[in-house]
Amino acid sequence: MSINSTNTPLFLRLPSLSVLDLVGKDAAAILHNLTTNEIKSLEIGGPGVETFVTNVKGKCIGHVMAFRSEQGYRLIGAPGQSEAIAAQMDRYTIREEAEPQIVDDNVHAYLVVGSLAGEELGFQDLGDQAGSLPTYRVPWVDTPQGRRGLLLLAPTTTSLSGADIAGKLLLNAIVDKAEKDPQIERDQAMEVFHDLRVTAGYPWYGTDFNDSHLPQEVNRETETISFTKGCYLGQETIARLDALGQVQKKLVLWSSEDLTGEPLPAVDTKLFAGGEKAVGRLTSVARELPWGGTSDHVETREGARGGRVLALGFARRSHFEVGSEASGAVADKTFVARVERT
């Protein structure tokens, strides 16, 4: 199987996501008090913001995109978060009128992956063209080269034959008279999605980090934290870390040129730099998937043996800088990993 890397968008059916609606007249006040980013200024139907949901100790109990709706807010993120976030909302809702509603099982999730040029072909106006099917710009697969992702959530009550109906609505809006749907088999879609997001350097809750981590350890302060929004749960810890800058580990993007023709390193592979204590640990591993390059296609990981290996993983303070090196092992082969991006 191959992925077209030039002009045709990919269409991925994602098996599951966390989708939670917070509804009620006090939804903004409740969500403001529990999240790290500024959400009160969001516009109904407009772009969302990436944010953490934190507990009183400043730990991450959720990592989502937040969008304003007519009823309140919709939170969308990696699967497995909705119940914990809803419980947190219930815990800190006393007299306010706000109710969390978990809708994970009520929607089918589809992700269209295209280039910046796709915005000229319908990314901006897709909501109108897709009728009542809500669409959301998500940064999960974004790259500086112009790859972008657009999420569609179709109600499970909508009769869909595979991805034909929703797929044609989406793809016809993005690619003028596309000759065929570049759909990837459903059982392979999440694998391809994770390859794309690792290439983009985007962390996934429950895979790369969890509720034992602080937001600054996830290394997305610019995208997720407002230091001017006012008080929220866990703010004191997060503000103190910002002032002191003393996290001892953080997620970075590692790369290796040494594994062409070799198996991928396993998740949880440790990286060392001359001592007995690990200086890094890999959490997600993928072959680099180019986008808009000169080659017509790149193979997925089942057959891929070429290309750099990219991995999200934690680095210790000694290896926070781009270019820092450490070594790991795959079977009997040692490889060098470099910090590609922090």
Side-chain angles (χ1 to χ4, degrees):
M1 183 182 64
S2 59
I3 298 174
N4 190 310
S5 63
T6 52
N7 297 319
T8 308
L10 299 178
F11 179 51
L12 303 176
R13 165 76 160 91
L14 304 183
S16 62
L17 290 173
S18 292
V19 184
L20 184 146
D21 292 335
L22 182 63
V23 301
K25 68 181 183 66
D26 297 319
I30 294 298
L31 192 60
H32 172 92
N33 291 340
L34 300 177
T35 54
T36 59
N37 214 340
E38 176 56 68
I39 55 87
K40 288 185 175 180
S41 60
L42 293 178
E43 297 181 0
I44 295 174
V49 295
E50 182 182 344
T51 187
F52 292 108
V53 180
T54 45
N55 63 18
V56 69
K57 295 181 179 179
K59 298 293 182 69
C60 305
I61 66 168
H63 176 223
V64 295
M65 291 295 299
F67 299 89
R68 191 79 176 257
S69 67
E70 291 184 359
Q71 295 77 31
Y73 292 86
R74 169 158 285 186
L75 308 183
I76 305 171
Q81 305 181 74
S82 293
E83 288 189 6
I85 295 174
Q88 186 83 328
M89 290 174 172
D90 282 333
R91 186 176 299 117
Y92 289 94
T93 301
I94 302 174
R95 293 191 178 90
E96 297 87 355
E97 187 178 313
E99 178 188 2
Q101 299 174 348
I102 297 174
V103 294
D104 301 16
D105 296 331
N106 298 338
V107 293
H108 295 298
Y110 302 90
L111 185 70
V112 175
V113 184
S115 66
L116 276 174
E119 295 185 359
E120 301 169 2
L121 294 170
F123 264 52
Q124 300 285 350
D125 301 324
L126 187 57
D128 293 336
Q129 298 190 45
S132 61
L133 300 179
T135 58
Y136 306 91
R137 266 285 293 120
V138 291
W140 303 338
V141 298
D142 289 5
T143 65
Q145 293 74 30
R147 190 172 71 207
R148 297 291 184 265
L150 189 72
L151 179 70
L152 180 145
L153 297 180
T156 55
T157 53
T158 300
S159 177
L160 296 176
S161 175
D164 290 345
I165 295 175
K168 287 176 182 177
L169 282 170
L170 285 167
L171 296 173
N172 287 343
I174 298 172
V175 179
D176 185 24
K177 298 179 181 180
E179 294 184 0
K180 65 177 182 178
D181 291 352
Q183 182 183 340
I184 292 173
E185 296 293 332
R186 181 178 298 186
D187 60 351
Q188 297 172 320
M190 278 304 290
E191 182 177 280
V192 174
F193 167 70
H194 284 303
D195 284 346
L196 291 169
R197 72 160 185 88
V198 172
T199 305
Y202 192 92
W204 205 236
Y205 193 87
T207 299
D208 299 299
F209 69 104
N210 54 38
D211 60 6
S212 70
H213 294 100
L214 296 160
Q216 282 97 330
E217 292 177 332
V218 186
N219 199 18
R220 290 186 70 80
E221 292 98 318
T222 301
E223 297 85 358
T224 59
I225 301 175
S226 168
F227 291 100
T228 60
K229 63 169 281 186
C231 295
Y232 59 89
L233 201 67
Q235 182 199 23
E236 182 179 352
T237 299
I238 293 168
R240 184 168 64 250
L241 282 173
D242 179 62
L244 299 177
Q246 290 192 359
V247 289
Q248 298 302 308
K249 62 182 178 181
K250 68 178 180 180
L251 274 175
V252 301
L253 185 66
W254 297 89
S255 67
S256 177
E257 308 277 358
D258 295 343
L259 292 170
T260 299
E262 301 292 336
L264 292 172
V267 169
D268 208 35
T269 292
K270 305 295 191 299
L271 302 175
F272 298 87
E276 295 184 359
K277 186 175 181 178
V279 298
R281 178 177 66 86
L282 306 184
T283 57
S284 293
V285 186
R287 297 283 178 187
E288 182 174 25
L289 297 183
W291 194 267
T294 56
S295 63
D296 290 333
H297 298 83
V298 292
E299 294 180 331
T300 57
R301 67 165 61 187
E302 291 91 343
R305 290 296 185 185
R308 293 190 307 165
V309 168
L310 294 177
L312 282 166
F314 283 96
R316 305 299 300 181
R317 283 186 66 86
S318 60
H319 282 64
F320 281 2
E321 303 239 347
V322 171
S324 297
E325 295 186 350
S327 62
V330 178
D332 296 329
K333 180 177 177 61
T334 298
F335 65 92
V336 174
R338 297 174 182 84
V339 175
E340 177 86 4
R341 189 162 71 244
T342 62

